Amino acid sequence: MQAAAPKQSALNTSTIYRIIFAISLGHLMNDSMQAVVPAIFPILEQSMNLSYTQVGWIAFALNMTSSIMQPVFGFYTDKKPSPFLLPLGMLSSMFGMIGIAFAPNFYFVLLSVLFIGLGSAVFHPEGARVAFMAAGTKRGLAQSIYQVGGNTGNALAPIFTALIFVPLGQSGAAWFTISAAIGVLLLWYVSRWYRTELTSGTMRVKKRAAAGNGEGKLSRQVKLAVVFLIFLTFARSWYNAGIGNFYQFYLIEHYGLSIRAAQYYVFIFMIAGVVGTFFGGPLSDRFGKRNLILFSMLGSAPLALLLPHIPLVWVAPLFAVLGFILFSNFSVIVVYTQELMPGKVGMASGLIVGLAFGMGALGAVVLGKLADMYGLTFTMMFCSFLPLLGIVSWLLPNDRKAQ
């Protein structure tokens, strides 16, 4: 029996890259369908004569559904993991895509995005759990790969606008049902592996080791640290809501760009965020999670303050640096929270990723209202101060104390 122990230990700590990359690809497909919603805003704004406030309400309906339901599904699946929720969530998003493609009015669009939000809420906690299960000892790297898939999907929104919705209009959303169908098959494959792991002796060992005292109460210090992490997620999400939903209109109004041209600038910011997300995990392993979070928030603040005041020629390079720095903390905050809440992987993911959507939803409504009342220039100026709220990163415990 003792001779078998090293083999068992090695098996428990092995990193299963095929599953990590598969769930990352599923994450890309899931978030690509979410990205369709802001991508189609300029088309809907013209065809349905929407106000900026109505645009904000569509973003609110999408993101708040995901925000409210993610911690709920995370809490449920921490107690009862449900592998086949993954393809079911993708199926819900497919129905939402069909609805958006043929929506006749504002209210039908709202109903359609609720299906997409629900699909996202189902996917994310279980997707994060799969990445955690397949990570072995490389949790930071696994979470970075997983989150890169989602952030890449979000980053494609401007490209969708320029290459699909400008030439095809609203009906272009129907093409994304093909991606959704492929995603259902991919996640069915991942779910079968997930189910096998749950029923194997190896997975039972993993579950006991990961759960630890997960059912116990969290200490006051841990709760306070989680509150700080949620607040940092709030600041980043509101800023991202301003750029992702309204900066395209600012470029059109302030610099005189076409709808298509404006998308490429927003894409630079988002794709730089994807790169930052990937490198954030390894950098945090080298310099510490708390230090990386602090650098990410305060390092991006001066660039955000400059953005509304620079000529167009400087927007692209500034966006590239700003997106990289700001999003380098994305996967790090998730892993940091998971380590603070052992045995509550789904809940931790639901709180941080779910609340990121929720805060972005609230931000979209508030920023849309500000744009209608005071103009886009005021709204962009307001957004530029949000990364300064990252000063609360000083209050986080260092990595050793957190562990």
Side-chain angles (χ1 to χ4, degrees):
M1 291 294 292
Q2 290 182 353
K7 183 177 180 180
Q8 181 70 47
S9 177
L11 186 62
N12 287 342
T13 58
S14 61
T15 303
I16 307 173
Y17 286 102
R18 62 185 173 84
I19 296 298
I20 293 172
F21 282 107
I23 197 64
S24 179
L25 181 58
H27 199 182
L28 185 150
M29 292 176 175
N30 178 86
D31 285 22
S32 291
M33 284 183 284
Q34 282 188 261
V36 166
V37 179
I40 208 171
F41 280 165
I43 307 302
L44 296 179
E45 188 254 348
Q46 292 184 358
S47 64
M48 296 184 182
N49 196 27
L50 302 180
S51 67
Y52 291 130
T53 302
Q54 287 176 307
V55 168
W57 275 114
I58 295 172
F60 178 87
L62 170 70
N63 294 330
M64 188 55 72
T65 304
S66 176
S67 172
I68 292 173
M69 297 307 296
Q70 271 197 55
V72 173
F73 282 111
F75 178 79
Y76 171 77
T77 55
D78 279 337
K79 295 182 178 296
K80 187 178 179 180
S82 304
F84 291 98
L85 280 178
L86 289 167
L88 286 175
M90 188 67 70
L91 199 60
S92 176
S93 295
M94 181 192 292
F95 292 143
M97 283 294 100
I98 296 171
I100 286 180
F102 303 105
N105 54 51
F106 168 69
Y107 296 102
F108 203 94
V109 172
L110 283 179
L111 178 63
S112 300
V113 301
L114 290 178
F115 280 94
I116 300 173
L118 181 62
S120 178
V122 170
F123 172 84
H124 279 96
E126 287 297 79
R129 189 187 311 281
V130 168
F132 184 87
M133 288 164 55
T137 58
K138 299 180 180 179
R139 292 181 185 173
L141 176 62
Q143 191 63 223
S144 288
I145 294 172
Y146 170 67
Q147 296 296 351
V148 158
N151 284 3
T152 301
N154 282 315
L156 292 173
I159 301 302
F160 294 157
T161 304
L163 301 183
I164 297 177
F165 295 120
V166 168
L168 298 180
Q170 182 181 341
S171 62
W175 285 99
F176 290 88
T177 58
I178 299 173
S179 173
I182 295 171
V184 169
L185 296 176
L186 174 69
L187 293 177
W188 185 268
Y189 164 76
V190 172
S191 296
R192 291 180 63 189
W193 173 86
Y194 182 178
R195 182 182 61 182
T196 301
E197 287 291 286
L198 287 175
T199 56
S200 70
T202 298
M203 192 57 226
R204 286 195 294 271
V205 172
K206 284 184 179 180
K207 286 171 68 179
R208 286 196 297 269
N213 296 322
E215 295 298 324
K217 293 183 179 180
L218 300 177
S219 69
R220 187 183 67 84
Q221 288 178 309
V222 168
K223 290 179 181 178
L224 191 60
V226 171
V227 169
F228 290 148
L229 292 168
I230 290 172
F231 183 79
L232 292 171
T233 300
F234 151 79
R236 188 191 64 215
S237 298
W238 270 49
Y239 186 78
N240 189 47
I243 299 299
N245 293 311
F246 299 107
Y247 193 73
Q248 56 188 318
F249 297 113
Y250 180 78
L251 287 167
I252 293 167
E253 178 183 293
H254 189 72
Y255 295 106
L257 298 183
S258 66
I259 292 176
R260 184 191 294 267
Q263 307 312 309
Y264 295 117
Y265 287 88
V266 180
F267 176 72
I268 290 171
F269 172 77
M270 292 184 170
I271 203 66
V274 171
V275 178
T277 298
F278 179 78
F279 284 101
L283 287 172
S284 70
D285 290 338
R286 170 107 172 113
F287 299 106
K289 296 180 183 66
R290 184 254 194 186
N291 292 337
L292 192 282
I293 293 169
L294 178 64
F295 166 75
S296 174
M297 297 302 297
L298 296 187
S300 62
L303 300 177
L305 289 168
L306 279 173
L307 181 63
H309 308 287
I310 58 175
L312 182 63
V313 68
W314 288 105
V315 171
L318 187 145
F319 252 175
V321 180
L322 175 59
F324 180 92
I325 295 176
L326 184 64
F327 281 89
S328 63
N329 70 27
F330 196 99
S331 63
V332 178
I333 289 180
V334 175
V335 174
Y336 192 100
T337 309
Q338 288 176 344
E339 292 180 353
L340 286 169
M341 303 172 64
K344 301 179 186 291
V345 175
M347 177 63 77
S349 174
L351 281 172
I352 297 302
V353 181
L355 280 173
F357 288 133
M359 296 299 183
L362 182 60
V365 173
V366 173
L367 296 174
K369 190 66 175 178
L370 287 176
D372 280 333
M373 292 176 63
Y374 303 109
L376 288 168
T377 300
F378 176 85
T379 304
M380 291 300 105
M381 291 283 290
F382 174 82
C383 288
S384 69
F385 286 92
L386 291 171
L388 287 174
L389 298 177
I391 192 69
V392 303
S393 303
W394 285 106
L395 302 176
L396 290 172
N398 61 42
D399 291 34
R400 181 176 298 178
K401 185 179 291 186
Q403 291 173 358

